[in-house]
Amino acid sequence: MNTPYTRQIERLVNGIPTQDGAGVSLTRVLTHDLQRRLDPFLMLDAFHSDEPSDYLAGFPDHPHRGFETVTYMLAGRMRHRDNAGNEGLLEPGGMQWMTAGRGLVHSELPEQENGLMSGFQLWVNLAGRDKMTDPGYSDIPSAGIPEVSPQPGVKVRVLAGEAFGTAGAIHRDTTEPLYLDIALEAGVAIDLPIPATHNAFLYVYEGKLAVGAESGDRSERRMADAGRMAVLNNAAGAAGVSVKAEQGSRFLLIAGKPLNEPIAQWGPFVMNTREQVEQAIDDFRAGRF
Ligand code: FE2
């Protein structure tokens, strides 16, 4: 009997160690060459260090236009300020979902001089018709992120979308992003629903997962270990993916409905055409953000 949770690993991707901002060491998990395959997601960075020189410089004033940035903290504190006068503090377990829209200039700076800094920043594209929307953001403290335990040994934090009947902290039309932070105890297996319309991937940040259904006498399982992104295939009619924790594991499940629009990117500006990107650069230089 085949399980309908038939998504499997299409490709395992190693993150690329790099630096960004004023010299923050991070791992770029979702890189430029996967933007079409994982539409509407443009980037995923993972940062994890207890070495202050890896993060202290932070991300001083810089612009964005045309998409959304989602910062999720596991450990450490980050202060953000923007040129519209908004300010907030990201704390462990909390998330900031920022819509850059037509543009803003902001800074993201660590609020600590030592200790562990750990978390993720995801970039979610906006449809062409929404790229010039008003900027805005939601700061969601840890207590504001719904959690659900669909079975023993499973804890799911629903950052965005809906899972196991629990609505997430953020809902977005158009791309309908699903963003889950899942903890599994060793040996636990679970079927995770993912809309069949969505591109999807997993990022394991602790432990080791067996991914894919065991169907009949032929195992379709592959391992995803910590620090690797597993791009899931878009199996027709699949209800989602089956996973089993080989060890106690924590991972992100991220999925979204593709926009299928042209992507024109120059650094922090992501538009549909090169002319729109040039306009963004002109507007930023002229102080129109
Ligand atoms: Fe930023």
Side-chain angles (χ1 to χ4, degrees):
M1 184 68 189
N2 280 348
T3 162
Y5 290 81
T6 47
R7 290 208 195 214
Q8 297 168 15
I9 294 179
E10 174 179 294
R11 183 175 163 192
L12 282 167
V13 179
N14 290 315
I16 296 171
T18 184
Q19 286 201 336
D20 207 340
V24 177
S25 296
L26 51 82
T27 303
R28 188 138 294 160
V29 177
L30 196 172
T31 54
H32 200 262
D33 56 320
L34 284 165
Q35 287 180 341
R36 294 246 47 111
R37 175 61 189 84
L38 292 175
D39 180 9
F41 303 106
L42 299 164
M43 193 191 82
L44 177 68
D45 283 346
F47 46 95
H48 182 91
S49 178
D50 55 10
E51 179 57 54
S53 62
D54 283 343
Y55 60 73
L56 269 186
F59 302 85
D61 278 348
H62 60 277
H64 294 283
R65 175 181 279 183
F67 59 101
E68 302 187 279
T69 69
V70 182
T71 310
Y72 177 44
M73 298 297 286
L74 298 173
R77 292 179 161 72
M78 194 94 86
R79 171 81 57 185
H80 66 90
R81 292 187 178 88
D82 72 27
N83 63 336
N86 299 307
E87 182 173 341
L89 182 64
L90 263 161
E91 297 189 281
M95 168 175 74
Q96 183 204 57
W97 196 292
M98 184 190 84
T99 304
R102 67 171 178 273
L104 52 71
V105 178
H106 77 161
S107 62
E108 298 154 288
L109 299 171
E111 191 98 328
Q112 64 190 45
E113 289 178 354
N114 50 53
L116 179 64
M117 174 76 69
S118 180
F120 305 94
Q121 188 169 88
L122 176 72
W123 288 12
V124 187
N125 208 356
L126 286 169
R129 64 173 183 275
D130 297 326
K131 285 184 177 292
M132 297 299 275
T133 192
D134 290 344
Y137 65 81
S138 303
D139 272 321
I140 298 137
S142 186
I145 295 177
E147 281 188 18
V148 58
S149 180
Q151 65 186 64
V154 180
K155 197 177 81 174
V156 180
R157 308 193 81 216
V158 190
L159 285 79
E162 181 271 332
F164 303 103
T166 297
I170 290 284
H171 169 83
R172 284 287 184 275
D173 294 332
T174 311
T175 55
E176 299 170 20
L178 177 67
Y179 190 166
L180 307 178
D181 177 15
I182 301 173
L184 299 183
E185 289 175 12
V188 170
I190 186 166
D191 291 337
L192 300 167
I194 303 170
T197 47
H198 285 30
N199 287 328
F201 65 95
L202 306 175
Y203 180 71
V204 182
Y205 63 91
E206 262 179 48
K208 188 177 184 180
L209 278 186
V211 180
E214 272 180 324
S215 52
D217 55 359
R218 193 161 59 101
S219 173
E220 304 287 358
R221 283 186 169 171
R222 284 178 73 187
M223 295 296 162
D225 44 12
R228 299 228 276 176
M229 173 171 69
V231 177
L232 300 180
N233 68 352
N234 292 5
V241 66
S242 295
V243 299
K244 183 180 178 192
E246 296 294 302
Q247 309 160 4
S249 298
R250 294 192 64 183
F251 62 101
L252 307 178
L253 165 58
I254 296 174
K257 197 171 172 182
L259 291 165
N260 295 313
E261 293 181 1
I263 300 169
Q265 178 173 9
W266 187 84
F269 308 132
V270 184
M271 307 301 289
N272 295 122
T273 68
R274 190 189 158 121
E275 291 68 31
Q276 291 167 342
V277 168
E278 283 165 3
Q279 185 67 53
I281 295 168
D282 283 354
D283 287 349
F284 173 59
R285 289 194 177 140
R288 288 191 288 263
F289 268 33

